[in-house]
mmCIF file of all heavy atoms in Angstrom:
data_model
loop_
_atom_site.group_PDB
_atom_site.id
_atom_site.type_symbol
_atom_site.label_atom_id
_atom_site.label_comp_id
_atom_site.label_asym_id
_atom_site.label_seq_id
_atom_site.Cartn_x
_atom_site.Cartn_y
_atom_site.Cartn_z
ATOM 1 N N PHE A 20 -80.318 10.925 -66.224
ATOM 2 C CA PHE A 20 -81.223 10.857 -67.368
ATOM 3 C C PHE A 20 -82.300 9.794 -67.164
ATOM 4 O O PHE A 20 -82.031 8.699 -66.671
ATOM 5 C CB PHE A 20 -80.453 10.568 -68.659
ATOM 6 C CG PHE A 20 -79.463 11.644 -69.016
ATOM 7 C CD1 PHE A 20 -78.199 11.326 -69.486
ATOM 8 C CD2 PHE A 20 -79.802 12.983 -68.886
ATOM 9 C CE1 PHE A 20 -77.291 12.314 -69.805
ATOM 10 C CE2 PHE A 20 -78.898 13.983 -69.198
ATOM 11 C CZ PHE A 20 -77.634 13.644 -69.661
ATOM 12 N N CYS A 21 -83.523 10.128 -67.562
ATOM 13 C CA CYS A 21 -84.664 9.220 -67.409
ATOM 14 C C CYS A 21 -85.123 8.635 -68.740
ATOM 15 O O CYS A 21 -85.752 7.583 -68.768
ATOM 16 C CB CYS A 21 -85.847 9.955 -66.774
ATOM 17 S SG CYS A 21 -85.504 10.695 -65.177
ATOM 18 N N MET A 22 -84.843 9.319 -69.838
ATOM 19 C CA MET A 22 -85.361 8.945 -71.147
ATOM 20 C C MET A 22 -84.214 8.641 -72.107
ATOM 21 O O MET A 22 -83.081 9.090 -71.901
ATOM 22 C CB MET A 22 -86.239 10.072 -71.715
ATOM 23 C CG MET A 22 -87.325 10.559 -70.760
ATOM 24 S SD MET A 22 -88.486 9.262 -70.286
ATOM 25 C CE MET A 22 -89.408 9.117 -71.822
ATOM 26 N N PRO A 23 -84.470 7.913 -73.201
ATOM 27 C CA PRO A 23 -83.393 7.532 -74.111
ATOM 28 C C PRO A 23 -83.000 8.607 -75.120
ATOM 29 O O PRO A 23 -81.891 8.575 -75.649
ATOM 30 C CB PRO A 23 -83.957 6.299 -74.829
ATOM 31 C CG PRO A 23 -85.439 6.487 -74.789
ATOM 32 C CD PRO A 23 -85.726 7.180 -73.494
ATOM 33 N N PHE A 24 -83.892 9.574 -75.404
ATOM 34 C CA PHE A 24 -83.613 10.580 -76.424
ATOM 35 C C PHE A 24 -83.543 11.975 -75.802
ATOM 36 O O PHE A 24 -84.195 12.255 -74.783
ATOM 37 C CB PHE A 24 -84.693 10.567 -77.511
ATOM 38 C CG PHE A 24 -84.660 9.342 -78.389
ATOM 39 C CD1 PHE A 24 -85.365 8.201 -78.019
ATOM 40 C CD2 PHE A 24 -83.929 9.322 -79.565
ATOM 41 C CE1 PHE A 24 -85.347 7.066 -78.812
ATOM 42 C CE2 PHE A 24 -83.901 8.196 -80.367
ATOM 43 C CZ PHE A 24 -84.606 7.057 -79.991
ATOM 44 N N VAL A 25 -82.783 12.858 -76.448
ATOM 45 C CA VAL A 25 -82.581 14.216 -75.940
ATOM 46 C C VAL A 25 -83.900 14.956 -75.774
ATOM 47 O O VAL A 25 -84.202 15.509 -74.709
ATOM 48 C CB VAL A 25 -81.640 15.004 -76.878
ATOM 49 C CG1 VAL A 25 -81.607 16.484 -76.486
ATOM 50 C CG2 VAL A 25 -80.241 14.411 -76.843
ATOM 51 N N ASP A 26 -84.717 14.996 -76.842
ATOM 52 C CA ASP A 26 -85.973 15.741 -76.763
ATOM 53 C C ASP A 26 -86.937 15.139 -75.746
ATOM 54 O O ASP A 26 -87.669 15.854 -75.058
ATOM 55 C CB ASP A 26 -86.630 15.856 -78.144
ATOM 56 C CG ASP A 26 -86.892 14.510 -78.795
ATOM 57 O OD1 ASP A 26 -86.381 13.480 -78.302
ATOM 58 O OD2 ASP A 26 -87.603 14.491 -79.824
ATOM 59 N N GLU A 27 -86.908 13.816 -75.603
ATOM 60 C CA GLU A 27 -87.785 13.164 -74.639
ATOM 61 C C GLU A 27 -87.357 13.486 -73.206
ATOM 62 O O GLU A 27 -88.206 13.611 -72.304
ATOM 63 C CB GLU A 27 -87.785 11.654 -74.860
ATOM 64 C CG GLU A 27 -88.438 11.234 -76.177
ATOM 65 C CD GLU A 27 -88.380 9.740 -76.404
ATOM 66 O OE1 GLU A 27 -87.769 9.030 -75.565
ATOM 67 O OE2 GLU A 27 -88.918 9.270 -77.422
ATOM 68 N N GLU A 28 -86.047 13.622 -72.982
ATOM 69 C CA GLU A 28 -85.547 13.968 -71.654
ATOM 70 C C GLU A 28 -86.057 15.349 -71.231
ATOM 71 O O GLU A 28 -86.525 15.544 -70.102
ATOM 72 C CB GLU A 28 -84.011 13.952 -71.653
ATOM 73 C CG GLU A 28 -83.371 14.277 -70.317
ATOM 74 C CD GLU A 28 -83.602 13.211 -69.263
ATOM 75 O OE1 GLU A 28 -83.871 12.056 -69.624
ATOM 76 O OE2 GLU A 28 -83.514 13.554 -68.069
ATOM 77 N N LEU A 29 -85.982 16.304 -72.142
ATOM 78 C CA LEU A 29 -86.449 17.645 -71.827
ATOM 79 C C LEU A 29 -87.975 17.708 -71.791
ATOM 80 O O LEU A 29 -88.560 18.437 -70.978
ATOM 81 C CB LEU A 29 -85.892 18.636 -72.849
ATOM 82 C CG LEU A 29 -84.363 18.805 -72.814
ATOM 83 C CD1 LEU A 29 -83.899 19.710 -73.928
ATOM 84 C CD2 LEU A 29 -83.905 19.344 -71.466
ATOM 85 N N ALA A 30 -88.624 16.940 -72.668
ATOM 86 C CA ALA A 30 -90.092 16.903 -72.665
ATOM 87 C C ALA A 30 -90.620 16.339 -71.351
ATOM 88 O O ALA A 30 -91.673 16.759 -70.856
ATOM 89 C CB ALA A 30 -90.601 16.073 -73.842
ATOM 90 N N PHE A 31 -89.889 15.391 -70.779
ATOM 91 C CA PHE A 31 -90.276 14.810 -69.489
ATOM 92 C C PHE A 31 -90.341 15.891 -68.414
ATOM 93 O O PHE A 31 -91.266 15.936 -67.594
ATOM 94 C CB PHE A 31 -89.275 13.716 -69.101
ATOM 95 C CG PHE A 31 -89.554 13.057 -67.784
ATOM 96 C CD1 PHE A 31 -90.566 12.122 -67.665
ATOM 97 C CD2 PHE A 31 -88.810 13.377 -66.655
ATOM 98 C CE1 PHE A 31 -90.828 11.509 -66.449
ATOM 99 C CE2 PHE A 31 -89.060 12.776 -65.435
ATOM 100 C CZ PHE A 31 -90.082 11.837 -65.331
ATOM 101 N N VAL A 32 -89.346 16.801 -68.447
ATOM 102 C CA VAL A 32 -89.336 17.914 -67.496
ATOM 103 C C VAL A 32 -90.519 18.845 -67.767
ATOM 104 O O VAL A 32 -91.242 19.246 -66.844
ATOM 105 C CB VAL A 32 -88.013 18.701 -67.603
ATOM 106 C CG1 VAL A 32 -88.045 19.917 -66.669
ATOM 107 C CG2 VAL A 32 -86.828 17.815 -67.256
ATOM 108 N N LEU A 33 -90.730 19.176 -69.030
ATOM 109 C CA LEU A 33 -91.794 20.115 -69.389
ATOM 110 C C LEU A 33 -93.180 19.555 -69.069
ATOM 111 O O LEU A 33 -94.090 20.295 -68.679
ATOM 112 C CB LEU A 33 -91.693 20.466 -70.875
ATOM 113 C CG LEU A 33 -90.414 21.215 -71.285
ATOM 114 C CD1 LEU A 33 -90.359 21.392 -72.791
ATOM 115 C CD2 LEU A 33 -90.339 22.564 -70.578
ATOM 116 N N GLU A 34 -93.341 18.251 -69.232
ATOM 117 C CA GLU A 34 -94.624 17.624 -68.889
ATOM 118 C C GLU A 34 -94.920 17.781 -67.399
ATOM 119 O O GLU A 34 -96.067 18.020 -66.999
ATOM 120 C CB GLU A 34 -94.601 16.140 -69.268
ATOM 121 C CG GLU A 34 -94.732 15.902 -70.761
ATOM 122 C CD GLU A 34 -94.533 14.437 -71.133
ATOM 123 O OE1 GLU A 34 -94.136 13.649 -70.237
ATOM 124 O OE2 GLU A 34 -94.754 14.092 -72.296
ATOM 125 N N ASN A 35 -93.883 17.639 -66.575
ATOM 126 C CA ASN A 35 -94.072 17.806 -65.136
ATOM 127 C C ASN A 35 -94.395 19.250 -64.767
ATOM 128 O O ASN A 35 -94.973 19.512 -63.710
ATOM 129 C CB ASN A 35 -92.813 17.341 -64.388
ATOM 130 C CG ASN A 35 -92.739 15.834 -64.254
ATOM 131 O OD1 ASN A 35 -93.384 15.236 -63.414
ATOM 132 N ND2 ASN A 35 -91.943 15.207 -65.121
ATOM 133 N N LEU A 36 -94.025 20.186 -65.644
ATOM 134 C CA LEU A 36 -94.358 21.591 -65.427
ATOM 135 C C LEU A 36 -95.676 21.974 -66.103
ATOM 136 O O LEU A 36 -96.062 23.139 -66.102
ATOM 137 C CB LEU A 36 -93.226 22.479 -65.971
ATOM 138 C CG LEU A 36 -91.866 22.356 -65.283
ATOM 139 C CD1 LEU A 36 -90.822 23.189 -66.019
ATOM 140 C CD2 LEU A 36 -91.955 22.801 -63.824
ATOM 141 N N ARG A 37 -96.333 20.966 -66.710
ATOM 142 C CA ARG A 37 -97.615 21.150 -67.400
ATOM 143 C C ARG A 37 -97.513 22.138 -68.563
ATOM 144 O O ARG A 37 -98.408 22.942 -68.810
ATOM 145 C CB ARG A 37 -98.687 21.612 -66.415
ATOM 146 C CG ARG A 37 -98.958 20.603 -65.310
ATOM 147 C CD ARG A 37 -100.064 21.063 -64.383
ATOM 148 N NE ARG A 37 -100.319 20.067 -63.338
ATOM 149 C CZ ARG A 37 -101.226 20.201 -62.381
ATOM 150 N NH1 ARG A 37 -101.973 21.313 -62.340
ATOM 151 N NH2 ARG A 37 -101.395 19.264 -61.471
ATOM 152 N N THR A 38 -96.396 22.082 -69.265
ATOM 153 C CA THR A 38 -96.218 22.917 -70.444
ATOM 154 C C THR A 38 -97.101 22.396 -71.571
ATOM 155 O O THR A 38 -97.083 21.191 -71.857
ATOM 156 C CB THR A 38 -94.741 22.907 -70.900
ATOM 157 O OG1 THR A 38 -93.931 23.359 -69.813
ATOM 158 C CG2 THR A 38 -94.534 23.801 -72.114
ATOM 159 N N PRO A 39 -97.878 23.235 -72.244
ATOM 160 C CA PRO A 39 -98.716 22.778 -73.358
ATOM 161 C C PRO A 39 -97.873 22.099 -74.441
ATOM 162 O O PRO A 39 -96.781 22.558 -74.756
ATOM 163 C CB PRO A 39 -99.359 24.073 -73.877
ATOM 164 C CG PRO A 39 -99.353 24.987 -72.704
ATOM 165 C CD PRO A 39 -98.093 24.672 -71.950
ATOM 166 N N ARG A 40 -98.404 21.016 -74.972
ATOM 167 C CA ARG A 40 -97.662 20.208 -75.938
ATOM 168 C C ARG A 40 -97.184 21.029 -77.133
ATOM 169 O O ARG A 40 -96.077 20.848 -77.636
ATOM 170 C CB ARG A 40 -98.543 19.044 -76.410
ATOM 171 C CG ARG A 40 -97.806 18.033 -77.271
ATOM 172 C CD ARG A 40 -98.700 16.866 -77.632
ATOM 173 N NE ARG A 40 -97.977 15.835 -78.344
ATOM 174 C CZ ARG A 40 -97.301 14.869 -77.763
ATOM 175 N NH1 ARG A 40 -97.259 14.790 -76.451
ATOM 176 N NH2 ARG A 40 -96.658 13.960 -78.473
ATOM 177 N N GLU A 41 -98.049 21.946 -77.602
ATOM 178 C CA GLU A 41 -97.694 22.723 -78.790
ATOM 179 C C GLU A 41 -96.542 23.690 -78.537
ATOM 180 O O GLU A 41 -95.920 24.194 -79.489
ATOM 181 C CB GLU A 41 -98.919 23.489 -79.306
ATOM 182 C CG GLU A 41 -99.515 24.484 -78.324
ATOM 183 C CD GLU A 41 -100.561 23.857 -77.419
ATOM 184 O OE1 GLU A 41 -100.630 22.598 -77.357
ATOM 185 O OE2 GLU A 41 -101.321 24.614 -76.793
ATOM 186 N N GLU A 42 -96.208 23.944 -77.264
ATOM 187 C CA GLU A 42 -95.108 24.848 -76.944
ATOM 188 C C GLU A 42 -93.793 24.108 -76.698
ATOM 189 O O GLU A 42 -92.730 24.742 -76.620
ATOM 190 C CB GLU A 42 -95.459 25.669 -75.697
ATOM 191 C CG GLU A 42 -96.657 26.592 -75.871
ATOM 192 C CD GLU A 42 -96.994 27.331 -74.594
ATOM 193 O OE1 GLU A 42 -96.144 27.308 -73.668
ATOM 194 O OE2 GLU A 42 -98.082 27.921 -74.497
ATOM 195 N N MET A 43 -93.874 22.795 -76.585
ATOM 196 C CA MET A 43 -92.698 22.031 -76.163
ATOM 197 C C MET A 43 -91.549 22.088 -77.161
ATOM 198 O O MET A 43 -90.385 22.261 -76.772
ATOM 199 C CB MET A 43 -93.087 20.573 -75.898
ATOM 200 C CG MET A 43 -93.816 20.361 -74.601
ATOM 201 S SD MET A 43 -94.016 18.597 -74.242
ATOM 202 C CE MET A 43 -94.900 18.678 -72.702
ATOM 203 N N LYS A 44 -91.853 21.962 -78.445
ATOM 204 C CA LYS A 44 -90.778 21.913 -79.440
ATOM 205 C C LYS A 44 -89.945 23.186 -79.396
ATOM 206 O O LYS A 44 -88.708 23.150 -79.413
ATOM 207 C CB LYS A 44 -91.362 21.702 -80.832
ATOM 208 C CG LYS A 44 -90.293 21.519 -81.922
ATOM 209 C CD LYS A 44 -90.906 21.155 -83.260
ATOM 210 C CE LYS A 44 -91.486 19.752 -83.242
ATOM 211 N NZ LYS A 44 -91.931 19.331 -84.609
ATOM 212 N N GLY A 45 -90.607 24.332 -79.313
ATOM 213 C CA GLY A 45 -89.891 25.597 -79.236
ATOM 214 C C GLY A 45 -89.094 25.726 -77.949
ATOM 215 O O GLY A 45 -87.959 26.225 -77.955
ATOM 216 N N GLU A 46 -89.682 25.269 -76.834
ATOM 217 C CA GLU A 46 -88.988 25.311 -75.545
ATOM 218 C C GLU A 46 -87.734 24.450 -75.560
ATOM 219 O O GLU A 46 -86.686 24.851 -75.052
ATOM 220 C CB GLU A 46 -89.933 24.831 -74.436
ATOM 221 C CG GLU A 46 -90.948 25.854 -73.990
ATOM 222 C CD GLU A 46 -90.350 26.876 -73.042
ATOM 223 O OE1 GLU A 46 -89.720 26.487 -72.046
ATOM 224 O OE2 GLU A 46 -90.492 28.072 -73.335
ATOM 225 N N ILE A 47 -87.849 23.275 -76.160
ATOM 226 C CA ILE A 47 -86.708 22.355 -76.222
ATOM 227 C C ILE A 47 -85.585 22.962 -77.044
ATOM 228 O O ILE A 47 -84.404 22.926 -76.654
ATOM 229 C CB ILE A 47 -87.155 20.986 -76.795
ATOM 230 C CG1 ILE A 47 -88.037 20.268 -75.768
ATOM 231 C CG2 ILE A 47 -85.942 20.132 -77.166
ATOM 232 C CD1 ILE A 47 -88.706 19.022 -76.305
ATOM 233 N N ARG A 48 -85.916 23.514 -78.192
ATOM 234 C CA ARG A 48 -84.911 24.154 -79.038
ATOM 235 C C ARG A 48 -84.221 25.296 -78.289
ATOM 236 O O ARG A 48 -83.005 25.472 -78.362
ATOM 237 C CB ARG A 48 -85.564 24.697 -80.311
ATOM 238 C CG ARG A 48 -86.018 23.637 -81.302
ATOM 239 C CD ARG A 48 -84.857 23.112 -82.108
ATOM 240 N NE ARG A 48 -85.304 22.205 -83.170
ATOM 241 C CZ ARG A 48 -84.466 21.535 -83.964
ATOM 242 N NH1 ARG A 48 -83.156 21.677 -83.804
ATOM 243 N NH2 ARG A 48 -84.929 20.736 -84.898
ATOM 244 N N TRP A 49 -85.022 26.091 -77.553
ATOM 245 C CA TRP A 49 -84.472 27.219 -76.820
ATOM 246 C C TRP A 49 -83.520 26.752 -75.721
ATOM 247 O O TRP A 49 -82.422 27.312 -75.556
ATOM 248 C CB TRP A 49 -85.610 28.043 -76.207
ATOM 249 C CG TRP A 49 -85.115 29.188 -75.383
ATOM 250 C CD1 TRP A 49 -84.669 30.406 -75.828
ATOM 251 C CD2 TRP A 49 -84.978 29.209 -73.951
ATOM 252 N NE1 TRP A 49 -84.283 31.194 -74.772
ATOM 253 C CE2 TRP A 49 -84.455 30.491 -73.611
ATOM 254 C CE3 TRP A 49 -85.262 28.298 -72.948
ATOM 255 C CZ2 TRP A 49 -84.203 30.852 -72.290
ATOM 256 C CZ3 TRP A 49 -85.010 28.661 -71.636
ATOM 257 C CH2 TRP A 49 -84.487 29.916 -71.313
ATOM 258 N N MET A 50 -83.913 25.711 -74.982
ATOM 259 C CA MET A 50 -83.074 25.208 -73.887
ATOM 260 C C MET A 50 -81.754 24.661 -74.410
ATOM 261 O O MET A 50 -80.693 24.903 -73.825
ATOM 262 C CB MET A 50 -83.828 24.143 -73.090
ATOM 263 C CG MET A 50 -84.913 24.715 -72.194
ATOM 264 S SD MET A 50 -85.681 23.466 -71.149
ATOM 265 C CE MET A 50 -86.663 22.568 -72.331
ATOM 266 N N LEU A 51 -81.800 23.924 -75.514
ATOM 267 C CA LEU A 51 -80.571 23.383 -76.089
ATOM 268 C C LEU A 51 -79.662 24.500 -76.577
ATOM 269 O O LEU A 51 -78.438 24.441 -76.439
ATOM 270 C CB LEU A 51 -80.903 22.427 -77.240
ATOM 271 C CG LEU A 51 -81.645 21.146 -76.857
ATOM 272 C CD1 LEU A 51 -81.967 20.326 -78.099
ATOM 273 C CD2 LEU A 51 -80.819 20.310 -75.880
ATOM 274 N N SER A 52 -80.265 25.540 -77.135
ATOM 275 C CA SER A 52 -79.489 26.686 -77.604
ATOM 276 C C SER A 52 -78.827 27.421 -76.446
ATOM 277 O O SER A 52 -77.678 27.864 -76.554
ATOM 278 C CB SER A 52 -80.397 27.644 -78.383
ATOM 279 O OG SER A 52 -79.714 28.827 -78.732
ATOM 280 N N GLU A 53 -79.531 27.523 -75.327
ATOM 281 C CA GLU A 53 -79.010 28.237 -74.164
ATOM 282 C C GLU A 53 -77.733 27.610 -73.620
ATOM 283 O O GLU A 53 -76.841 28.310 -73.131
ATOM 284 C CB GLU A 53 -80.063 28.294 -73.058
ATOM 285 C CG GLU A 53 -81.132 29.351 -73.266
ATOM 286 C CD GLU A 53 -80.577 30.763 -73.201
ATOM 287 O OE1 GLU A 53 -80.123 31.169 -72.128
ATOM 288 O OE2 GLU A 53 -80.580 31.437 -74.252
ATOM 289 N N VAL A 54 -77.626 26.292 -73.692
ATOM 290 C CA VAL A 54 -76.430 25.612 -73.166
ATOM 291 C C VAL A 54 -75.448 25.253 -74.274
ATOM 292 O O VAL A 54 -74.437 24.595 -74.029
ATOM 293 C CB VAL A 54 -76.814 24.340 -72.366
ATOM 294 C CG1 VAL A 54 -77.638 24.704 -71.157
ATOM 295 C CG2 VAL A 54 -77.543 23.324 -73.246
ATOM 296 N N GLY A 55 -75.735 25.663 -75.502
ATOM 297 C CA GLY A 55 -74.807 25.413 -76.611
ATOM 298 C C GLY A 55 -74.759 23.978 -77.077
ATOM 299 O O GLY A 55 -73.725 23.524 -77.591
ATOM 300 N N LEU A 56 -75.860 23.246 -76.927
ATOM 301 C CA LEU A 56 -75.898 21.864 -77.412
ATOM 302 C C LEU A 56 -76.500 21.875 -78.815
ATOM 303 O O LEU A 56 -77.717 21.861 -79.011
ATOM 304 C CB LEU A 56 -76.730 20.994 -76.468
ATOM 305 C CG LEU A 56 -76.804 19.494 -76.807
ATOM 306 C CD1 LEU A 56 -75.424 18.907 -77.060
ATOM 307 C CD2 LEU A 56 -77.510 18.723 -75.692
ATOM 308 N N ASP A 57 -75.635 21.917 -79.809
ATOM 309 C CA ASP A 57 -76.056 22.027 -81.205
ATOM 310 C C ASP A 57 -76.290 20.640 -81.805
ATOM 311 O O ASP A 57 -75.349 19.872 -82.012
ATOM 312 C CB ASP A 57 -74.987 22.770 -82.022
ATOM 313 C CG ASP A 57 -74.712 24.163 -81.474
ATOM 314 O OD1 ASP A 57 -75.687 24.831 -81.110
ATOM 315 O OD2 ASP A 57 -73.535 24.554 -81.410
ATOM 316 N N LEU A 58 -77.544 20.333 -82.073
ATOM 317 C CA LEU A 58 -77.911 19.046 -82.653
ATOM 318 C C LEU A 58 -78.745 19.280 -83.910
ATOM 319 O O LEU A 58 -79.625 20.142 -83.933
ATOM 320 C CB LEU A 58 -78.734 18.216 -81.662
ATOM 321 C CG LEU A 58 -78.057 17.826 -80.344
ATOM 322 C CD1 LEU A 58 -79.069 17.180 -79.411
ATOM 323 C CD2 LEU A 58 -76.888 16.881 -80.596
ATOM 324 N N ASP A 59 -78.457 18.512 -84.956
ATOM 325 C CA ASP A 59 -79.264 18.616 -86.175
ATOM 326 C C ASP A 59 -80.699 18.204 -85.895
ATOM 327 O O ASP A 59 -81.644 18.772 -86.453
ATOM 328 C CB ASP A 59 -78.663 17.735 -87.285
ATOM 329 C CG ASP A 59 -77.296 18.237 -87.743
ATOM 330 O OD1 ASP A 59 -77.070 19.464 -87.644
ATOM 331 O OD2 ASP A 59 -76.471 17.420 -88.157
ATOM 332 N N ASP A 60 -80.844 17.197 -85.015
ATOM 333 C CA ASP A 60 -82.168 16.694 -84.664
ATOM 334 C C ASP A 60 -82.211 16.433 -83.164
ATOM 335 O O ASP A 60 -81.451 15.593 -82.661
ATOM 336 C CB ASP A 60 -82.447 15.391 -85.442
ATOM 337 C CG ASP A 60 -83.834 14.821 -85.142
ATOM 338 O OD1 ASP A 60 -84.609 15.485 -84.416
ATOM 339 O OD2 ASP A 60 -84.129 13.710 -85.638
ATOM 340 N N PRO A 61 -83.072 17.145 -82.419
ATOM 341 C CA PRO A 61 -83.162 16.896 -80.971
ATOM 342 C C PRO A 61 -83.573 15.475 -80.626
ATOM 343 O O PRO A 61 -83.324 15.023 -79.506
ATOM 344 C CB PRO A 61 -84.229 17.898 -80.510
ATOM 345 C CG PRO A 61 -84.208 18.974 -81.539
ATOM 346 C CD PRO A 61 -83.935 18.263 -82.835
ATOM 347 N N HIS A 62 -84.194 14.770 -81.565
ATOM 348 C CA HIS A 62 -84.561 13.379 -81.312
ATOM 349 C C HIS A 62 -83.347 12.494 -81.579
ATOM 350 O O HIS A 62 -83.311 11.666 -82.482
ATOM 351 C CB HIS A 62 -85.738 12.966 -82.192
ATOM 352 C CG HIS A 62 -86.374 11.671 -81.757
ATOM 353 N ND1 HIS A 62 -86.996 11.513 -80.539
ATOM 354 C CD2 HIS A 62 -86.466 10.458 -82.383
ATOM 355 C CE1 HIS A 62 -87.453 10.266 -80.434
ATOM 356 N NE2 HIS A 62 -87.137 9.613 -81.538
ATOM 357 N N THR A 63 -82.322 12.731 -80.775
ATOM 358 C CA THR A 63 -81.048 12.019 -80.875
ATOM 359 C C THR A 63 -80.859 11.166 -79.632
ATOM 360 O O THR A 63 -81.155 11.612 -78.518
ATOM 361 C CB THR A 63 -79.880 13.019 -80.988
ATOM 362 O OG1 THR A 63 -80.019 13.776 -82.198
ATOM 363 C CG2 THR A 63 -78.535 12.306 -80.997
#
């Protein structure tokens, strides 16, 4: 892990892939859902 928060960890990956900022929140939710990581708030 490189970042202190869940969403920031995944956003770090997406930034390196040049994912548009407005798409990141949906991408993060989708990735967490795919692996079954159920969080009330991704900024955990």
Side-chain angles (χ1 to χ4, degrees):
F20 298 138
C21 302
M22 309 300 287
F24 290 88
V25 171
D26 57 348
E27 292 178 356
E28 181 68 23
L29 294 175
F31 179 76
V32 176
L33 296 175
E34 285 173 352
N35 281 281
L36 296 174
R37 298 182 179 180
T38 302
R40 188 176 185 86
E41 61 271 15
E42 296 178 13
M43 284 189 181
K44 185 173 290 187
E46 282 281 308
I47 290 171
R48 289 281 187 185
W49 177 80
M50 286 186 287
L51 294 177
S52 174
E53 281 294 294
V54 297
L56 183 50
D57 302 318
L58 298 172
D59 294 331
D60 181 5
H62 194 64
T63 297

